[in-house]
Amino acid sequence: RGLVGSEMCIRDRNKRAPKIKPVNNFLLLAVLSVFQLVTGYISANANGKFEFSVLLAMICLIAIEWIYLIVFYVAMHRRNFELEVIAFFLCGVGIATIGSINPDAAFKQLLMILAGVIIFVCLVFIMGNVDFCMKMRLYVAIAAIALLLLNLVIAKTTNGARNWIEIAGVTLQPSEFVKIAFVFVGSATLEKIQTSKNIIAFIGFSVACVGALIIIKDFGTALIFFITFLIIAFMNSGDIKTIILAVVSAVMGGAIVLKYKAYVKTRFAAYRHVWEHYNERGGFQQSRVLIGMASGGLLGLGIGNGYVRNVYASTTDIIFGVICEEWGYIFAIALVLSFVCIAVSALVNSIASRSTFYSIGAVAAAGLLLFQCALNIFGITDILPLTGVTLPFVSQGGSSMMSCWGLLAFIKASDIRTYNYLGGVKKR
């Protein structure tokens, strides 16, 4: 099931691949560019005076999009840009929303998007050679563990968690980069015919990552890693009993943490009781988000006219609440459907992918992004406990943005059209 050396196997997978109608990429990007120009202009006027930096940031994003499309369309002969268009759409919404709240942050967000695109391009290129990825998995795992250990040693506590480090004046969140490593190692380790040694090695790596995140009190990211582990484990074994056992073990571990960790108990005290903690730390954000979402209605109050933008973390953790209030329910649903499209794309690609490495990587990365999106949205609306994770591609944050683009590379690599300019991936 991971043997790509057989031409017959490749032909069979190609036969099973769904026939996807060609998309006019230039027309699609033109429509997106018009949308971004309009929203960028409105956002630039959101603070009562025209902030040219916000509009300029959006224009620069549009320029990056067109350069990317033209270069890879002409030089690499790629014709599959649907994923990138979705990601650029989400990034544009992020710049417009962030810029309308804090104009000075718009260009910084643009730079992080550019860095993310570069990481995306590099990873897609690297994953074109499956053999090289197999050789690199141990080194990537060691680097990921070392990064988390560095986090444990030098990180400072921020909002109750030690998940940020500062190097030469640059602030980073190591766990975001470890997400890419986690999917890479899991996909590469389990790509070949399974052995107990491979499976135990990946379980050990997973325990080390999740354990380190629990120690630094980044419980939201720890939960995301655990769900990703379950996805990879299920794709590898298909054994639902093993998954149930893992979930039960995690629930028991979570119960122990809640019992003995006062900080965690405080975070969960307001869950499902936000109105009882209306003016307290536990329920302040969620109650304001719920009020804002209700007042926004189907079409929203207009960019810059909402109240949620004045609540703490309006550009990060609760940015979806700002979008619901100012852009409306209809647009918010379209935003959520964008993540669903990414997940569906990963599932479709995994059916015809040339290697188990691509199948596992694509589904795991898409599952991670979709679960993080759900954790953010359900957290601020009090459906799930508030964990403080960001909304992928939209929330302000450099580490998160680069991580999201890195994860998108796994889905891109799984598409059989991606490496057509090489005549297919390199075979073993």
Side-chain angles (χ1 to χ4, degrees):
R1 110 182 145 193
L3 304 178
V4 295
S6 170
E7 293 293 339
M8 183 178 295
C9 177
I10 294 174
R11 286 196 298 270
D12 289 342
R13 287 177 181 235
N14 287 340
K15 289 178 181 178
R16 296 198 306 269
K19 300 302 180 181
I20 302 174
K21 293 182 179 180
V23 176
N24 189 323
N25 298 289
F26 290 91
L27 177 60
L28 193 63
L29 190 56
V31 173
L32 176 61
S33 298
V34 172
F35 167 78
Q36 290 175 332
L37 273 176
V38 172
T39 55
Y41 180 80
I42 297 173
S43 298
N45 284 285
N47 291 311
K49 64 175 182 177
F50 186 75
E51 298 284 354
F52 181 71
S53 60
V54 178
L55 180 59
L56 183 60
M58 191 67 81
I59 292 173
C60 290
L61 174 63
I62 294 171
I64 291 171
E65 295 166 358
W66 280 99
I67 291 171
Y68 176 88
L69 175 62
I70 292 171
V71 167
F72 285 95
Y73 190 93
V74 175
M76 303 299 185
H77 306 291
R78 287 185 187 165
R79 300 297 182 264
N80 56 325
F81 294 95
E82 300 88 358
L83 275 176
E84 293 94 319
V85 170
I86 293 173
F88 282 132
F89 163 71
L90 294 169
C91 290
V93 173
I95 285 184
T97 308
I98 294 165
S100 71
I101 298 170
N102 181 11
D104 294 335
F107 248 99
K108 184 177 180 180
Q109 186 75 352
L110 173 71
L111 293 176
M112 295 303 101
I113 293 170
L114 179 59
V117 172
I118 293 172
I119 291 173
F120 171 81
V121 171
C122 292
L123 282 176
V124 170
F125 178 78
I126 290 171
M127 285 189 283
N129 189 329
V130 181
D131 285 331
F132 179 75
C133 294
M134 298 304 106
K135 296 174 183 177
M136 289 298 295
R137 66 185 187 276
L138 178 60
Y139 302 106
V140 173
I142 292 173
I145 297 297
L147 196 57
L148 288 174
L149 289 175
L150 180 66
N151 197 143
L152 288 171
V153 173
I154 69 173
K156 296 180 180 179
T157 301
T158 304
N159 296 325
R162 296 169 54 200
N163 54 355
W164 294 92
I165 62 175
E166 185 174 334
I167 301 176
V170 179
T171 304
L172 300 171
Q173 190 172 358
S175 59
E176 291 293 336
F177 300 103
V178 178
K179 287 178 183 176
I180 302 173
F182 190 80
V183 174
F184 183 93
V185 172
S187 305
T189 302
L190 303 178
E191 193 272 343
K192 295 183 179 180
I193 296 175
Q194 304 309 307
T195 64
S196 298
K197 182 179 179 182
N198 279 0
I199 295 172
I200 292 172
F202 179 61
I203 291 175
F205 175 66
S206 303
V207 170
C209 290
V210 175
L213 291 168
I214 291 175
I215 292 173
I216 66 178
K217 300 180 181 179
D218 192 352
F219 298 106
T221 305
L223 180 59
I224 291 171
F225 271 61
F226 177 69
I227 296 299
T228 307
F229 166 77
L230 293 182
I231 293 172
I232 294 174
F234 181 74
M235 289 197 66
N236 166 55
S237 66
D239 186 3
I240 193 66
K241 292 182 291 185
T242 304
I243 304 304
I244 292 174
L245 179 62
V247 171
V248 171
S249 301
V251 170
M252 292 176 62
I256 294 171
V257 170
L258 284 173
K259 182 175 178 62
Y260 295 105
K261 289 288 186 180
Y263 167 74
V264 183
K265 290 180 70 175
T266 302
R267 289 288 297 269
F268 281 79
Y271 174 53
R272 306 302 296 167
H273 299 282
V274 295
W275 300 110
E276 299 171 23
H277 301 268
Y278 180 79
N279 284 319
E280 300 173 15
R281 180 181 178 184
F284 186 90
Q285 288 174 301
Q286 292 106 312
S287 60
R288 269 60 179 184
V289 167
L290 291 171
I291 293 172
M293 291 176 68
S295 63
L298 291 177
L299 301 178
L301 302 177
I303 299 175
N305 297 325
Y307 171 77
V308 179
R309 62 176 37 243
N310 300 315
V311 179
Y312 175 72
S314 60
T315 61
T316 52
D317 299 352
I318 64 170
I319 194 169
F320 186 75
V322 178
I323 292 170
C324 286
E325 183 182 27
E326 300 184 2
W327 301 57
Y329 283 150
I330 294 176
F331 185 84
I333 291 172
L335 198 73
V336 173
L337 289 177
S338 298
F339 292 101
V340 175
C341 288
I342 291 175
V344 171
S345 175
L347 290 174
V348 171
N349 292 345
S350 67
I351 296 172
S353 62
R354 294 181 172 93
S355 169
T356 306
F357 169 73
Y358 295 125
S359 296
I360 294 178
V363 176
L368 191 158
L369 290 171
L370 189 62
F371 181 71
Q372 182 172 329
C373 172
L375 206 56
N376 174 275
I377 294 172
F378 293 155
I380 64 174
T381 52
D382 202 35
I383 297 173
L384 291 176
L386 182 64
T387 55
V389 299
T390 56
L391 186 62
F393 295 106
V394 181
S395 293
Q396 182 180 352
S399 301
S400 175
M401 181 62 71
M402 289 184 279
S403 170
C404 291
W405 277 99
L407 291 168
L408 197 70
F410 289 94
I411 307 172
K412 181 73 174 182
S414 69
D415 191 334
I416 58 174
R417 300 172 293 171
T418 297
Y419 300 108
N420 283 343
Y421 69 97
L422 292 177
V425 294
K426 294 183 181 179
K427 306 179 185 67
R428 287 173 287 154

